[in-house]
Amino acid sequence: MEGKRNRGEVTAELSEKVWARLCRENALVASEVWVDDARRVDFVAYRPHRPRDRSSNHATAAELESGTFTFVEVKSCMDDFTSGHGRTFEGDENWLVCPLELADSLASKGMLPKGAAVYSPDARGALRKRYDTSEFRQVRVAPAIELIWAMLSGCISAHRHTYAEAHTRTRIYTHQHHCTYARTHKDIDAQMNRPRPLTRSRPVLGPKSHP
């Protein structure tokens, strides 16, 4: 039961499920994305618009600009949800991922976030949509190039950190090359001596910090 585990354990488990699903369904996925100077989103995923009759692997500018961004916030409990942090639902699609007990509690109290679908693990551990207020979603304001840069810049910034500074882990997944760039202090030290991407590696979980 989720209630017998601490917030960090619940968040870590939910985050792994989110990461796995987003990587299956999108072309680009990043965690801990700063969408502006004040707000960080737990996960941002992106997939370009691809007409069914397109045979080329190269997306056009129009397809990239009209792509879909999914913002995902992970919450482990009511205290986490009401903390005032991590409730940015401004993508084309927005998810709140949380334990089922929290989802039901939010619904019963009229506290479901507007413009977001709420996902919780089922008995098998797969994420299932429990509630949906997407009809209240507002049109995304940030342009595609701005959000893609935000997704990429976190990985670049982590690569520039020193050994002492690189305690947080940023990860980014590119579907086309089936690779994950995992930036930890060990990876950064190794790449300073021999710069090369970490390919075909298992995603490294970057746990969410809590106040």
Side-chain angles (χ1 to χ4, degrees):
M1 297 291 293
E2 283 85 357
K4 296 181 179 180
R5 294 177 294 166
N6 62 44
R7 287 173 56 171
E9 292 172 335
V10 175
T11 298
E13 181 178 316
L14 293 174
S15 295
E16 283 290 358
K17 296 180 186 299
V18 169
W19 179 259
R21 176 159 176 174
L22 291 178
C23 288
R24 290 196 303 269
E25 299 177 355
N26 296 271
L28 187 66
V29 179
S31 64
E32 305 291 350
V33 178
W34 288 93
V35 294
D36 56 32
D37 291 338
R39 296 176 301 167
R40 183 177 67 184
V41 181
D42 290 336
F43 296 92
V44 177
Y46 168 75
R47 61 182 182 274
H49 173 68
R50 301 290 290 172
R52 293 183 179 180
D53 59 349
R54 287 272 284 139
S55 58
S56 173
N57 290 327
H58 298 283
T60 65
E63 291 169 352
L64 292 174
E65 286 293 339
S66 59
T68 299
F69 287 89
T70 302
F71 283 26
V72 183
E73 299 283 17
V74 178
K75 297 299 178 184
S76 60
C77 60
M78 184 62 77
D79 286 344
D80 192 9
F81 181 80
T82 58
S83 66
H85 303 286
R87 290 169 61 177
T88 302
F89 300 107
E90 298 180 3
D92 300 298
E93 297 177 0
N94 302 290
W95 299 3
L96 168 65
V97 178
C98 63
L100 180 58
E101 292 85 351
L102 176 56
D104 290 340
S105 179
L106 293 174
S108 65
K109 297 176 180 179
M111 295 174 62
L112 291 173
K114 300 300 182 183
V118 181
Y119 287 82
S120 298
D122 61 15
R124 292 185 172 183
L127 294 178
R128 301 295 180 191
K129 186 186 296 185
R130 307 295 185 173
Y131 302 96
D132 196 350
T133 63
S134 295
E135 66 270 21
F136 300 105
R137 176 182 57 82
Q138 297 181 350
V139 176
R140 170 171 57 87
V141 175
I145 187 63
E146 179 180 330
L147 290 177
I148 290 175
W149 172 248
M151 296 172 73
L152 296 173
S153 61
C155 190
I156 296 171
S157 176
H159 178 67
R160 292 174 176 170
H161 285 174
T162 65
Y163 178 91
E165 296 170 333
H167 292 299
T168 58
R169 287 178 267 187
T170 300
R171 56 182 179 175
I172 188 162
Y173 170 86
T174 57
H175 179 71
Q176 183 176 1
H177 297 95
H178 302 285
C179 63
T180 299
Y181 293 89
R183 307 303 189 191
T184 65
H185 59 270
K186 292 181 180 178
D187 300 330
I188 294 167
D189 284 348
Q191 293 187 23
M192 287 176 65
N193 297 325
R194 186 179 181 184
R196 59 186 179 125
L198 302 177
T199 59
R200 300 185 182 276
S201 61
R202 182 181 182 276
V204 178
L205 177 63
K208 224 173 64 171
S209 59
H210 293 286

